[in-house]
Amino acid sequence: MATTYFSLGGDDASQRFFTKSKLPLSWPSLPVILPHRLRRKFRSTRSRIRSRQTPTSSISSLNTSSNPADTIRALRTHHWSFYDAQYLFLAVLGIFSLCVIQSPGPMMKTLVATLLMTGLVIPITRQFLLPFLPIASWLILFYACQFVSSEYRPGIWVRVLPALENILYGANLSNILSAHKSTALDVLAWLPYGIFHYGAPFVVGIILFVFGPPGTVPCFGRAFGYANMTGVLIQLCFPCSPP
């Protein structure tokens, strides 16, 4: 960091100096705790923003190859890290979900798994399926939860959430809110969860693709998938009835 000194005059012994720090114009170095792949993507996105490359111009850089040998070659030269352990977790979760699901039958489940594996092998579809894997795993897990036997499900806790409300807020907010009924407010609260909840992720994805930096949509897809997957796993392992 560059430093400039300013003198106010006077004797050399009693001369006073003030410093004015100049912030560096370049981006600071990324923390070491970030994985190498995230730092590499961040630098790539930063360079594209500096070069004034439009987000939609990344369409021309999409991989259009349909040769599975390119995928095998990319796997051989890939530098594996802890970041790649997410795919092992998704594979275990997918196998568990397919084993639990009773309908559709084995033939349909085998067909779906075969199509997914084929799409991951072909480069032109792999670049879209990899960011979509967390969302697909969440949807399959959400559908498979209904087939989990009640013998393996823990009991539903009905007093945990009201007790947490009393501890955190000092009152049972659910009873307070339910005491004042309003049809207009009920409809207003139902719209985001009942209608917008299903289409909003696609709208946000389109907006991020058009106006966001390159690489934003895959990050959003992974974050969206893992967040919803975490909610399903918590509800499956620690089910609580709403207050």
Side-chain angles (χ1 to χ4, degrees):
M1 180 181 296
T3 304
T4 305
Y5 293 90
F6 296 91
S7 174
L8 297 180
D11 298 335
D12 294 339
S14 61
Q15 195 173 19
R16 300 170 60 189
F17 292 89
F18 292 89
T19 61
K20 179 181 179 181
S21 300
K22 293 183 178 180
L23 295 177
L25 298 179
S26 60
W27 286 61
S29 59
L30 294 174
V32 184
I33 58 175
L34 291 178
H36 175 69
R37 176 174 294 184
L38 293 180
R39 285 182 287 172
R40 184 176 58 188
K41 288 185 177 181
F42 181 82
R43 294 191 184 100
S44 176
T45 303
R46 184 181 62 185
S47 62
R48 292 180 181 180
I49 295 175
R50 286 182 173 179
S51 62
R52 297 182 180 180
Q53 181 180 0
T54 59
T56 54
S57 62
S58 59
I59 297 179
S60 59
S61 62
L62 293 177
N63 191 352
T64 58
S65 173
S66 58
N67 188 4
D70 296 338
T71 301
I72 299 176
R73 190 180 303 108
L75 289 176
R76 290 178 178 176
T77 59
H78 179 70
H79 298 283
W80 299 96
S81 62
F82 290 104
Y83 181 81
D84 299 316
Q86 61 174 321
Y87 301 113
L88 179 61
F89 168 74
L90 294 178
V92 173
L93 193 65
I95 294 174
F96 167 78
S97 301
L98 292 178
C99 292
V100 170
I101 293 176
Q102 300 177 3
S103 177
M107 296 298 296
M108 183 59 66
K109 291 189 292 185
T110 304
L111 177 61
V112 172
T114 304
L115 292 177
L116 179 61
M117 296 300 297
T118 304
L120 291 175
V121 171
I122 300 176
I124 191 174
T125 55
R126 177 173 58 91
Q127 56 191 343
F128 300 104
L129 285 179
L130 278 180
F132 184 72
L133 277 181
I135 300 179
S137 301
W138 158 57
L139 294 175
I140 295 175
L141 177 64
F142 182 80
Y143 178 75
C145 286
Q146 59 181 317
F147 299 102
V148 178
S149 176
S150 58
E151 300 177 358
Y152 303 100
R153 288 175 175 265
I156 300 177
W157 298 81
V158 297
R159 299 181 180 179
V160 173
L161 296 183
L164 288 177
E165 286 185 349
N166 291 326
I167 294 174
L168 297 177
Y169 305 107
N172 195 331
L173 298 181
S174 301
N175 293 336
I176 296 176
L177 295 176
S178 61
H180 305 279
K181 298 180 180 180
S182 174
T183 304
L185 294 179
D186 291 340
V187 174
L188 185 62
W190 168 77
L191 285 176
Y193 187 79
I195 297 180
F196 301 153
H197 173 263
Y198 300 99
F202 299 98
V203 176
V204 172
I206 295 174
I207 294 175
L208 291 177
F209 179 77
V210 176
F211 300 101
T216 306
V217 177
C219 293
F220 170 74
R222 290 188 177 94
F224 179 78
Y226 283 120
N228 287 277
M229 191 187 309
T230 303
V232 174
L233 290 175
I234 292 176
Q235 189 64 20
L236 181 63
C237 300
F238 187 66
C240 295
S241 62

